[in-house]
Amino acid sequence: MKITLTGSLGNIGKPLATALIDAGHAVTVISSNEEKRTAILESGGKPAIGDIHDVNFLTTAFKGADVVYTMIPPNFNVADYRAYSASLAQLYSQAIQQSGVVNVVNLSSMGAHLKEGTGLTIGAYEMESALDKMKGIHIKHLRIPYIYTNLYGNISMIRNMGMIGANYDGNTRLVMAHPLDIADAVAQAIQTPFSSREVIYVVSDDRTTGEVAAAIGKEIGLPHLPWVGFDDEQALGGIMQSGIREEIAKLLIEVGVAVRTGILWMPYGKKSGTRGLETFAKEFATRYLH
C-alpha cells in the first residue's frame, strides 16, 4: 500500500514508519523540518517536507495514498490552542477530500467525545468533529489515554523534592499507553480493512497514581516515593515556573481536573497494549539514573 504519515519521526511516528516500511509498504512521512529529510530517507521512507498549514502541500502529500494517518502536532506557542486544532482539522479535511483519499486513521484521545472541560484534549474533539463530517470517507479514530512518557516531566520534581505530584492525588485512576503500543495499534489499523467509522481504544495499563509512583520508585531506588496531590493553584504555579505559558498551563490544569474527576476515561474493553506499568518503570529508571 501507499501510506502517508503526519507527525514526522517522533516517539510514535518513528516506530510506526519503521513497522510499515518493514511490512513492505511505500511510506511517505510528512515533516516541517528539513533536517528530518535524511533520517526519513535512511528509514526507507519518502520525505515530504513542508508546512502542514499549507493545504496545497498537504493535498499533494496525500494524493495517491491508500491510507493517510493524521494527528495534531502539539504546539504550546499558539495563542488559542482550540482554534489552532480546529484550523488544522479543517485543513486536513480539505486536503483529504481534494486528494481523493478515502481511508484515514486518526490519532485521537480519550475524552474526544467531550466538547468542553478537557484542556488540551479539546484538540481531539475538534479533529474528530471535522473528519466525521466528510462524506464517503472510511475513518478509524484511535483514542489514546495518558502517555507514559509524560511522566518524564516529573524527573526534576523527584530529584529536587523526592515526590511525584499533580493536581490529582495518589488514589486517582490513570489509564495509560506506551508510545510503542500506540504505534503498533496505528500500524494494525492502517493494515486492516476499513468500515465507515470505527473508534479504537489503545490501553497499556490501568492503575492508580499511587501505584505509578511505587513502580517508578522501586526502579530508581526510592521505594517509598509518594504521589502528592496539589490544589489547582499550586499546580498552575509549578507548571508556569517550568517555563510553560499561562494559557497552556491552564489547559494542562484542566486536563488534570478531567483526570481527577474521571471524565476522560471511557470503557475500552480489553487492554490492547503489551507494555505494562512495570515495563515503563524500567525505561523511566534508565533515563532518571543516566
Side-chain angles (χ1 to χ4, degrees):
M1 289 193 299
K2 294 181 179 179
I3 302 163
T4 298
L5 308 177
T6 61
S8 192
L9 296 179
N11 289 336
I12 297 169
K14 185 175 182 178
L16 171 60
T18 298
L20 294 172
I21 291 166
D22 288 348
H25 301 294
V27 178
T28 296
V29 180
I30 293 175
S31 177
S32 62
N33 187 350
E34 177 63 38
E35 295 180 0
K36 294 289 186 180
R37 182 183 296 276
T38 299
I40 294 169
L41 288 169
E42 290 176 348
S43 74
K46 175 184 176 181
I49 310 299
D51 183 358
I52 59 173
H53 298 280
D54 179 347
V55 70
N56 293 323
F57 163 73
L58 276 182
T59 300
T60 300
F62 289 174
K63 196 170 185 62
D66 297 298
V67 184
V68 163
Y69 164 69
T70 58
M71 54 87 70
I72 298 179
N75 188 340
F76 287 179
N77 295 316
V78 296
D80 185 331
Y81 195 84
R82 182 168 197 162
Y84 157 74
S85 302
S87 174
L88 186 53
Q90 292 299 327
L91 288 169
Y92 278 147
S93 297
Q94 187 177 347
I96 288 166
Q97 293 175 97
Q98 290 180 353
S99 65
V101 168
V102 296
N103 297 318
V104 178
V105 173
N106 174 51
L107 187 66
S108 187
S109 174
M110 284 192 179
H113 64 297
L114 299 171
K115 62 181 179 180
E116 301 289 348
T118 59
L120 293 173
T121 302
I122 203 65
Y125 169 83
E126 294 291 348
M127 179 67 90
E128 285 199 21
S129 298
L131 296 182
D132 285 346
K133 291 176 182 176
M134 294 187 297
K135 304 296 184 182
I137 304 298
H138 304 148
I139 186 161
K140 299 179 184 180
H141 296 296
L142 269 66
R143 291 183 178 174
I144 63 172
Y146 184 95
I147 301 178
Y148 283 136
T149 49
N150 290 335
L151 290 163
Y152 289 140
N154 291 283
I155 287 177
S156 178
M157 183 184 295
I158 296 171
R159 286 177 174 161
N160 296 323
M161 304 175 68
M163 65 182 184
I164 299 181
N167 60 326
Y168 40 91
D169 65 24
N171 296 313
T172 305
R173 181 187 180 198
L174 198 61
V175 185
M176 299 164 284
H178 195 292
L180 295 180
D181 283 338
I182 298 170
D184 288 346
V186 174
Q188 181 178 1
I190 287 173
Q191 297 177 93
T192 53
F194 283 73
S195 57
S196 59
R197 183 182 185 272
E198 187 177 358
V199 175
I200 301 168
Y201 293 95
V202 184
V203 174
S204 302
D205 217 333
D206 188 341
R207 308 286 278 274
T208 68
T209 45
E211 290 175 309
V212 171
I216 289 174
K218 177 182 177 182
E219 295 297 333
I220 65 174
L222 296 173
H224 302 294
L225 180 70
W227 186 290
V228 178
F230 306 121
D231 64 36
D232 292 343
E233 186 175 347
Q234 290 173 322
L236 178 64
I239 293 171
M240 291 178 63
Q241 282 183 355
S242 70
I244 294 177
R245 293 168 45 242
E246 183 176 2
E247 294 84 354
I248 298 298
K250 287 180 177 178
L251 291 176
L252 291 171
I253 292 300
E254 195 170 83
V255 173
V257 173
V259 170
R260 188 169 72 214
T261 60
I263 64 171
L264 288 182
W265 311 138
M266 300 294 293
Y268 57 81
K270 294 181 180 179
K271 289 182 284 189
S272 56
T274 61
R275 299 166 178 89
L277 172 60
E278 283 69 26
T279 296
F280 174 73
K282 296 181 185 299
E283 297 173 13
F284 186 98
T286 299
R287 178 170 295 199
Y288 180 86
L289 297 172
H290 297 90

